[in-house]
Amino acid sequence: MARARGANAIMAAAFETTYGTPPVSGFRKLPFVSSNLGEEQGLLSSDLLGYGREPLPPSKDVINNDGDVVVPIDLKNFGNWLKLFMGQPTSTTDTGTTTHVFTSGAVNLPSMTVEVGLPEVPSYGQNYGVRGNTMRVQMQRSGLLTATLGLIAQGENKLNASAAGTLAEATIERFSPFQGAVTRGGVALGSVVSADFTYSNQLEKVEVIRGDGRIEDADPGMVMMTGSLAVRFANTTLLDQATAGTPVEFTFGWVTDASRSLVFKVHSVFLPKAKTPVTGPNGVQATFNWQAAKDPTVGRTVTATLINNVPSY
């Protein structure tokens, strides 16, 4: 029997029509860097007395299935994850180029079945009822651009053969970190050393009493968008905004050309006052840990715009 290797692992995913019910078709092969999705069930130590010092058998605890999946931020496949976290986009096509607009605050969010396959064994973990909880993105000058997705699933079926059928597959075209840009109020923000942001649906597990020990669902809470900016201290623009306490629109994105881009527009960003510590003879940096809120004009916190040639998600 062959030993499983990550190089041959396959991730297949499809959106569910009914929460917790794996679809029979519509699966796509999605690229990923790592995954720790899968069920786990802990043990509870016995609390019984009167049987001496030797322990009695433990009892099984509830079943949990949540974990992080790290995926590349690419042109075509990443839209599937945006749909999971923000809901169905509004898509418009013009001469072969489609603009997908994802917005925060949807009342109902979709769920997925995500199958992680190890064909050498063979073993296929079919994780169903998967919802998107947190999306963390790090922006920097170099390296590989990825997103860390915190997912919560209802359960997992262990299969000896894939249930995903024939997989649709899109070409992989990753965005590069050097294509990234940060703007403030529509103007490029200079001297940014690094930036990161986290989009969260603040899912709450519905932990009811069930015969199978699994959750009933994971309900979305308040949208949360937070992050940090590390900048070389060249002017007082951000400090002045923090002092005034007025929100400003920020964008974080990557642009290849007019028909290939991904931009997160955070409509109302509040900055805290930040120190400008001097720690040596080199450059002075300031780090701003910002928070976003619903913009009263547009009525939402975040808009993600993905432009590619994929007709729909």
Side-chain angles (χ1 to χ4, degrees):
M1 181 175 65
R3 289 181 290 272
R5 290 182 294 174
N8 296 324
I10 298 173
M11 176 175 287
F15 287 97
E16 299 172 346
T17 302
T18 303
Y19 174 78
T21 302
V24 297
S25 62
F27 282 85
R28 304 187 62 85
K29 182 177 181 179
L30 296 180
F32 71 107
V33 177
S34 64
S35 169
N36 65 355
L37 271 181
E39 281 190 343
E40 56 184 0
Q41 186 173 27
L43 297 175
L44 299 172
S45 299
S46 174
D47 61 353
L48 299 180
L49 305 176
Y51 293 89
R53 294 183 57 242
E54 301 295 341
L56 295 177
S59 301
K60 291 183 178 181
D61 200 0
V62 296
I63 294 174
N64 290 300
N65 187 350
D66 49 64
D68 289 345
V69 174
V70 180
V71 301
I73 298 180
D74 73 328
L75 183 64
K76 298 181 179 181
N77 296 287
F78 194 67
N80 294 285
W81 298 113
L82 288 174
K83 178 179 175 180
L84 180 68
F85 276 80
M86 305 180 81
Q88 184 71 43
T90 300
S91 301
T92 55
T93 301
D94 181 17
T95 62
T97 299
T98 304
T99 300
H100 309 278
V101 179
F102 301 83
T103 57
S104 62
V107 176
N108 298 308
L109 295 175
S111 62
M112 260 184 176
T113 291
V114 179
E115 181 187 276
V116 181
L118 303 172
E120 297 97 339
V121 176
S123 176
Y124 294 83
Q126 185 189 61
N127 301 278
Y128 54 87
V130 176
R131 294 200 187 273
N133 189 26
T134 58
M135 177 192 302
R136 301 188 297 274
V137 178
Q138 173 75 38
M139 299 181 71
Q140 54 196 11
R141 184 170 178 265
S142 64
L144 296 172
L145 184 60
T146 61
T148 301
L149 310 177
L151 307 178
I152 296 177
Q154 184 182 45
E156 179 188 24
N157 296 320
K158 283 294 188 182
L159 308 174
N160 294 324
S162 175
T166 302
L167 301 179
E169 184 175 354
T171 57
I172 301 173
E173 183 179 342
R174 298 180 74 164
F175 290 107
S176 297
F178 73 85
Q179 297 172 316
V182 180
T183 69
R184 174 188 175 276
V187 179
L189 188 62
S191 302
V192 178
V193 177
S194 65
D196 65 76
F197 60 85
T198 298
Y199 178 86
S200 176
N201 285 314
Q202 298 200 80
L203 295 182
E204 179 188 22
K205 293 181 181 180
V206 183
E207 298 182 298
V208 300
I209 299 173
R210 293 167 51 112
D212 60 4
R214 297 182 173 94
I215 61 173
E216 184 173 82
D217 203 338
D219 292 342
M222 299 288 287
V223 168
M224 179 180 287
M225 186 72 167
T226 59
S228 67
L229 281 169
V231 297
R232 283 297 180 104
F233 191 52
N235 56 62
T236 62
T237 300
L238 296 181
L239 286 177
D240 292 343
Q241 179 186 338
T243 301
T246 54
V248 176
E249 180 182 271
F250 276 73
T251 68
F252 306 86
W254 306 266
V255 178
T256 302
D257 54 37
S259 61
R260 295 175 294 173
S261 64
L262 171 61
V263 175
F264 289 86
K265 182 177 290 186
V266 191
H267 299 285
S268 187
V269 172
F270 293 82
L271 295 176
K273 290 185 178 180
K275 297 180 180 180
T276 54
V278 179
T279 59
N282 296 324
V284 176
Q285 291 187 186
T287 300
F288 295 86
N289 296 311
W290 53 266
Q291 296 182 31
K294 174 184 174 181
D295 183 86
T297 301
V298 300
R300 56 183 175 270
T301 304
V302 187
T303 301
T305 303
L306 175 62
I307 301 177
N308 55 25
N309 63 357
V310 178
S312 63
Y313 286 100

